[in-house]
Amino acid sequence: MSHPSSDGAPADGAADGNTGYGSKPFKRSRSHFADRITADGRDGWPVEAGRYRLVASRACPWASRAVISRRLLGLEDALSLAVTDPIQDHRSWRFTLDPDGRDPVLGIRFLREAYDARETDYPGGVSVPAVVDVPSGQLVTNDFQQITLDLATEWTALHRPGAPELYPEPLREEIDVVMAGVYRDVNNGVYRAGFATGQGEYEAAFRDLFRRLELLSGRLADQRYLVGDTITEADIRLFTTLVRFDAVYHGHFKCNGFKLTEDRVLWAYARDLFQTPGFGDTVDFHHIKQHYYRVHAGINPTGIVPVGPDLSGWLLPHHREELGGRPFGHGTPPGPVPAAEEVPPSGRPEHLLTGS
């Protein structure tokens, strides 16, 4: 069974093999629209300030990668941002947060309209992140794995002064290896557990997830970041799962081996990133909880959104600076969040106490 709108990135419920319980494991499908926006325009889409619009949901971890990268690199003026409603229906992601329910730049009500402009009657799911060509209204790419790498390496002419190197060439081989394990067992692992339809399938995903988290905790015990001594793409990809872990994955997806707050190293690491400009200031916990608990009707048929957990701990001191490291390398932090892109108070951790 397909889950085209379950979390943003395209997914399939079918795969080769079975668990011995009469079910087939969850498998995330490849992005159908994989054109790249490059400095030389070799796919027909050259990097150009103001030409493209990034469509994202703050609920979706895959889209959040692109939102964080865009902010860290200072691409706000070059690549505009559309934020969708966290609740979508059968017509796809909606722009109901905007006046008259239309994206003010693209003029559309549903992201599917940009997909249809590119390929009529496209049969697959409508996913975020999506980059849309503003002049034509056509989808350019929904390749969530490649979008952020290209923002880091192909959009360099438009980076802000002091932008960090998120995918530095000397470290790419190591970054790729780390990211592969994080993707397989953590980013996608929580979904393999959450959408499992058989006990064996679920338990296999559960074991892979917590084995990888323990390995990552060991790796981060004496180094501030995953690769090298600065923030890289690898940290962005792990963060977007960790920041959702206790709020949704621990309970909603049955990933309850331990809470993030119960692992001293991972909890401090995640808080360190959350409190770094460009990370926590893009996170909307209200959107996250509304989406997961209300959209995944097969998992949570009542649609009840839990009050907890208490999320105010994200603002506690982390002391990770004692390990050294330079968050932005030789660069500088990004400036203030543009006023139009600020997360509302309802989504910030200081407003999300248990019982409030």
Side-chain angles (χ1 to χ4, degrees):
M1 177 179 178
S2 177
H3 301 285
S5 302
S6 62
D7 68 322
D12 266 334
D16 293 335
N18 60 60
T19 63
Y21 286 79
S23 61
K24 292 186 177 182
F26 173 88
K27 181 182 179 182
R28 190 166 301 280
S29 57
R30 298 180 66 181
S31 300
H32 181 75
F33 300 99
D35 287 3
R36 295 176 60 191
I37 300 170
T38 58
D40 62 7
R42 55 187 176 272
D43 281 4
W45 306 104
V47 170
E48 183 180 331
R51 176 172 175 177
Y52 307 101
R53 188 155 174 82
L54 172 65
V55 180
S57 164
R58 293 196 188 275
C60 170
W62 319 98
S64 293
R65 296 177 178 182
V67 175
I68 292 170
S69 296
R70 170 182 174 270
R71 174 142 164 67
L72 292 176
L73 298 171
L75 290 170
E76 291 99 327
D77 292 336
L79 176 64
S80 64
L81 176 66
V83 176
T84 67
D85 192 307
I87 309 300
Q88 72 271 59
D89 60 25
H90 68 281
R91 295 168 293 184
S92 79
W93 295 95
R94 309 177 296 172
F95 295 104
T96 49
L97 302 180
D98 296 302
D100 300 322
R102 289 186 182 275
D103 179 81
V105 173
L106 300 174
I108 57 178
R109 293 184 180 276
F110 302 95
L111 181 55
R112 176 168 285 281
E113 295 175 56
Y115 277 67
D116 288 342
R118 172 68 183 274
E119 184 177 315
T120 305
D121 297 324
Y122 161 63
V126 176
S127 64
V128 291
V131 180
V132 179
D133 178 49
V134 174
S136 67
Q138 294 183 6
L139 176 76
V140 176
T141 177
N142 66 346
D143 189 345
F144 65 98
Q145 297 282 44
Q146 189 64 44
I147 287 172
T148 50
L149 297 180
D150 284 342
L151 291 181
T153 61
E154 297 289 338
W155 290 65
T156 53
L158 299 177
H159 288 180
R160 65 178 175 86
E165 285 192 75
L166 298 178
Y167 195 47
E169 194 163 359
L171 298 177
R172 286 182 189 177
E173 184 175 353
E174 184 179 359
I175 290 172
D176 288 346
V177 170
V178 171
M179 290 194 306
V182 168
Y183 171 77
R184 182 181 61 251
D185 298 332
V186 181
N187 300 149
N188 203 43
V190 293
Y191 288 92
R192 288 172 50 218
F195 285 112
T197 56
Q199 188 69 32
E201 174 193 345
Y202 160 72
E203 290 182 6
F206 182 98
R207 288 192 298 270
D208 290 345
L209 168 62
F210 284 97
R211 181 175 61 248
R212 181 66 58 180
L213 289 177
E214 289 172 357
L215 290 171
L216 292 166
S217 181
R219 182 184 184 94
L220 291 164
D222 57 4
Q223 64 185 62
R224 191 172 180 183
Y225 303 111
L226 282 173
V227 182
D229 63 353
T230 65
I231 291 167
T232 67
E233 174 80 10
D235 297 294
I236 296 172
R237 296 191 181 195
L238 178 57
F239 173 80
T240 57
T241 296
L242 295 184
V243 79
R244 290 161 173 78
F245 202 88
D246 287 5
V248 290
Y249 299 147
H250 181 272
H252 184 58
F253 278 176
K254 305 180 184 68
C255 297
N256 57 2
F258 53 77
K259 292 181 179 178
L260 177 65
T261 55
E262 294 170 345
D263 185 290
R264 179 184 61 83
V265 173
L266 291 179
W267 177 220
Y269 165 79
R271 295 201 314 277
D272 185 6
L273 291 177
F274 186 90
Q275 294 170 32
T276 299
F279 284 84
D281 53 30
T282 70
V283 175
D284 191 322
F285 283 111
H286 177 71
H287 276 208
I288 289 168
K289 292 175 66 174
Q290 289 293 311
H291 171 79
Y292 280 90
Y293 286 105
R294 292 180 61 187
V295 170
H296 297 165
I299 300 174
N300 186 37
T302 65
I304 294 173
V305 180
V307 175
D310 185 342
L311 297 170
S312 59
W314 283 99
L315 303 177
L316 294 173
H318 52 77
H319 305 296
R320 293 280 293 179
E321 66 277 0
E322 297 171 7
L323 294 173
R326 304 161 298 153
F328 303 100
H330 296 296
T332 57
V337 178
E341 297 181 10
E342 290 182 353
V343 173
S346 62
R348 300 174 189 165
E350 61 268 33
H351 296 273
L352 290 168
L353 305 179
T354 299
S356 63

